[in-house]
Amino acid sequence: LFFPNETNRRDLEDRMRALHAELRGTYHADGFTFNVSMSAGYVIVSSGDFRIEDMQIKADLALFESKSRNKGGAMAFEAEMDANYLDRQKLKADVREAVEHGGLSVAYQPMFEPDGSRIECCEALARWTHAERGPVSPIVFIPLAEEIGLVGDITRFMLRQACLDCMSWPAHISVSVNLSVLDLHNSEIVSLVADTLAETGLPPSRLHLEVTESCLMEETAKVRTILQEL
């Protein structure tokens, strides 16, 4: 969308948001009803600064922020969005470097018997300490790894390290490893688990695989088959 020869920024923003609101709603076509919502991003610049490639990039950055912070809403481009994008791209590169060159570590959270008498299991948690930023939360780096296709490599590392560490614990203590949505959409996870157990010698009964409810919501038939195989 392009509105030329306008000088009132507030009026332009009102028109953008009104158009966005009009596009959302219920549509009927060929006997079907579609409930449509959408996120939108826009940028407003003076004609002297107009460059189509630059406008497209900035509008796309605003759209990304809208999806992240205000899904279904409309957001205007702000200067910090550009800096945030560059920072995010740099962090993606750093995640790749960490995954490919052994920069991740594993921490363990104990899980006790109901009466608190002893530890029954330990949950393996991925940890990453960035050289410049310090500790980076898994809430930040795991989604980035998913975006760049590295979550499977993290799962492989976590499974192997968790099984190796568990072998050195008392025999009654198991280890729990989290699987992502992407892991359960790939049948290779079954052979990965089997191969890891064989390599490390850990009895299968001492390995717990943890999945979230969201893993079961998509491709249910495939996920069910993988779970049954596991």
Side-chain angles (χ1 to χ4, degrees):
L1 296 174
F2 174 50
F3 298 117
N5 303 319
E6 297 283 353
T7 57
N8 187 327
R9 182 184 178 93
R10 181 179 296 275
D11 180 60
L12 269 175
E13 293 205 2
D14 288 344
R15 289 173 63 183
M16 292 278 197
R17 294 182 183 279
L19 184 59
H20 174 254
E22 288 177 17
L23 287 169
R24 294 181 299 172
T26 303
Y27 289 78
H28 303 280
D30 292 337
F32 293 94
T33 299
F34 301 92
N35 293 310
V36 176
S37 65
M38 66 194 72
S39 301
Y42 62 90
V43 57
I44 297 174
V45 297
S46 64
S47 58
D49 295 327
F50 177 78
R51 290 180 297 277
I52 186 64
E53 295 85 359
D54 191 42
M55 293 275 284
Q56 288 176 322
I57 292 171
K58 289 180 176 179
D60 199 42
L61 290 174
L63 172 61
F64 178 81
E65 288 292 325
S66 180
K67 290 178 178 178
S68 302
R69 291 193 285 164
N70 184 27
K71 197 164 187 177
M75 293 190 66
F77 172 79
E78 299 169 1
E80 61 265 26
M81 291 179 184
D82 202 16
N84 291 342
Y85 173 76
L86 294 175
D87 184 66
R88 184 179 178 84
Q89 297 306 108
K90 173 66 166 61
L91 198 56
K92 284 183 182 180
D94 293 342
V95 168
R96 182 179 297 278
E97 174 77 14
V99 172
E100 293 178 351
H101 295 91
L104 300 184
S105 61
V106 185
Y108 294 96
Q109 178 171 293
M111 303 163 72
F112 288 83
E113 295 274 4
D115 62 3
S117 60
R118 70 175 185 175
I119 296 174
E120 180 182 41
C121 184
C122 289
E123 181 181 4
L125 303 171
R127 293 291 182 261
W128 177 33
T129 301
H130 192 280
E132 299 169 358
R133 303 167 188 254
V136 180
S137 170
I139 297 175
V140 173
F141 74 79
I142 294 296
L144 291 178
E146 290 179 345
E147 285 185 29
I148 58 180
L150 290 178
V151 72
D153 296 278
I154 294 179
T155 299
R156 184 177 293 104
F157 163 74
M158 293 295 293
L159 269 172
R160 185 175 186 277
Q161 192 62 52
C163 290
L164 284 172
D165 290 342
C166 188
M167 284 292 289
S168 67
W169 302 343
H172 70 275
I173 300 180
S174 302
V175 69
S176 174
V177 177
N178 293 286
L179 299 184
S180 76
V181 174
L182 298 179
D183 289 326
L184 287 180
H185 289 172
N186 187 347
S187 56
E188 291 180 4
I189 188 64
V190 178
S191 58
L192 174 61
V193 170
D195 292 345
T196 303
L197 289 171
E199 176 195 351
T200 60
L202 185 72
S205 60
R206 294 182 66 189
L207 175 62
H208 299 185
L209 299 175
E210 187 171 333
V211 300
T212 61
E213 294 86 345
S214 60
C215 293
L216 312 176
M217 299 302 290
E218 298 178 11
E219 299 187 47
T220 53
K222 185 173 185 178
V223 170
R224 186 184 301 115
T225 299
I226 291 174
L227 289 175
Q228 287 172 343
E229 291 182 20
L230 287 170

